[in-house]
Amino acid sequence: MNNNEKRQHPRLPVEVEVELYRSDRSMCLVWTDDLSNGGVSLTMNGHGDWPPIGARVQIRVSGPLGGDDEPPLVDAIVVRHTEAGIAVRFDEPPTRE
């Protein structure tokens, strides 16, 4: 890993269609670019109104993952804008005591 690299988790190139939910907009379909344990980079597919850095969003894999269960909504925070879209960090799950 590059010494200038600040990421804590390795990234894997993954292209999956996901639903992006924002409190102030209707759901839009976007694609993942890469994925790590800490977050995901999303290609905004021409959607021009990107959520601002710091915005809380939710994402869900579009379509079934197998079986009849609906994929879960995952809470995330926008941490940066990229050339093609946004990068989000997954919210930390609550710690168990």
Side-chain angles (χ1 to χ4, degrees):
M1 184 183 290
N2 179 332
N3 287 340
N4 293 327
E5 184 64 57
K6 295 180 182 179
R7 293 186 176 105
Q8 295 177 342
H9 307 284
R11 292 177 169 259
L12 300 171
V14 176
E15 290 185 13
V16 177
E17 188 175 51
V18 297
E19 301 166 355
L20 175 66
Y21 293 89
R22 300 165 54 182
S23 62
D24 61 343
R25 302 281 189 275
S26 60
M27 183 273 293
C28 64
L29 293 174
V30 298
W31 285 86
T32 63
D33 184 40
D34 61 43
L35 173 69
S36 76
N37 285 341
V40 64
S41 177
L42 300 172
T43 302
M44 293 298 290
N45 298 341
H47 297 286
D49 187 18
W50 298 357
I53 294 171
R56 293 190 169 277
V57 298
Q58 292 181 308
I59 58 174
R60 176 185 0 233
V61 172
S62 179
L65 292 177
D68 293 329
D69 294 336
E70 185 174 39
L73 273 173
V74 177
D75 294 324
I77 298 171
V78 178
V79 293
R80 73 178 171 281
H81 289 168
T82 67
E83 198 171 298
I86 61 174
V88 300
R89 181 186 74 229
F90 300 134
D91 270 358
E92 293 291 322
T95 56
R96 294 183 186 191
E97 294 184 20

